[in-house]
Structure formats: C-alpha cells, structure tokens
Amino acid sequence: MSIRIEREGDDGVRFEVSGEIGDGWMAIGFNDAGAMTGADISLIWTEGSDVEVRDAIATGRVKPSLDTTDNLVTNFTSRSGDDVTAIFLRDLATGDSQDNDIPDTDEFFLALGILNRHSRILWSHCKALSKGIISNVID
C-alpha cells in the first residue's frame, strides 16, 4: 500500500492511495488520540470492476460504520488486475460531528490498513507531515 498526501488549496487535503488489493479494501484512519476508537476513516473497497471511496467512523475495535454524511470528493479511481488506485479530496475541517479535523500542524497520526485475498489484515501507524507536501510512501 502506498499513500501520498498533499495540501489542496487553503483548507483541503488530497489523498492518493494505491495498493494490490484485488477484491478487498484499504483504509486511512486518523485520530489525534492515536487509537482506532474515534478514528475518522477513508475507506476504499473493490468488488469486481467497482472501486468505491467512502467516509467512515470507528466507534471501537470493530468494523467501522459509514458516516451519515460523506465528506470525501472522489476525483479518480482505477483498477488493473489486483492493483487499485483512488484519489480523493477532503476539507481539513468538515463541520461534521462524525469527522475529525485534520490538524493544520506539523504532524498528525495516520493508521493505514489493507486486506485482500492474499494477506491478513495489516495495520501500520506513522506520523506524517501535514503542511506542504506529505509524501511518506509505505510499500
């Protein structure tokens, strides 16, 4: 899984996420508490030729629930074999009680996950820069 995160204008963030997931999912979660509970999650899942990007919230160490208001704007999705790419935008602050603000500071906490038919669930946690270009790629 790889991720590239960049500022989009004055108050937005552009996410580019790709991975070899086939029929499966990958997700980005962020929470200033550094835990899954309360994490705001951007979920990318595939089935057949469909690639969907959805806004979700984690209420505990259980399957995240879809947010009642989807605050993600999908710009591009593609699937070639098992390789999937999604590019989407989100405001730093959406005003949605089910979303966490993405801080306009030097760092924020990310949790990345992937599941496909070849692997078990894999979560990786890192801190990434949120000012200017964020381009820590995880492969």
Side-chain angles (χ1 to χ4, degrees):
M1 178 177 181
S2 67
I3 179 172
R4 182 175 176 86
I5 306 170
E6 297 177 326
R7 287 295 298 269
E8 183 77 16
D10 291 335
D11 58 357
V13 180
R14 178 183 183 271
F15 295 90
E16 182 174 343
V17 183
S18 61
E20 185 179 337
I21 63 170
D23 285 339
W25 62 265
M26 53 188 166
I28 306 167
F30 44 95
N31 181 355
D32 60 2
M36 183 166 175
T37 301
D40 188 3
I41 296 175
S42 301
L43 179 63
I44 301 105
W45 77 76
T46 63
E47 187 173 347
S49 62
D50 294 332
V51 179
E52 293 191 42
V53 179
R54 299 294 299 271
D55 194 359
I57 185 83
T59 58
R61 298 192 80 161
V62 296
K63 179 181 173 182
S65 301
L66 292 180
D67 198 332
T68 54
T69 303
D70 192 341
N71 293 295
L72 304 176
V73 177
T74 303
N75 278 5
F76 173 80
T77 61
S78 72
R79 179 172 179 179
S80 176
D82 286 345
D83 295 327
V84 174
T85 299
I87 300 172
F88 53 96
L89 307 173
R90 205 203 94 162
D91 288 340
L92 291 171
T94 65
D96 183 342
S97 65
Q98 292 181 313
D99 287 340
N100 293 330
D101 290 349
I102 300 172
D104 189 13
T105 59
D106 291 337
E107 294 184 337
F108 66 91
F109 185 82
L110 289 174
L112 310 173
I114 188 168
L115 175 68
N116 63 29
R117 68 175 181 259
H118 305 295
S119 69
R120 295 185 174 147
I121 296 173
L122 168 68
W123 284 99
S124 175
H125 301 85
C126 66
K127 288 186 176 181
L129 294 175
S130 64
K131 280 190 174 173
I133 295 177
I134 306 165
S135 59
N136 186 6
V137 177
I138 299 173
D139 283 318

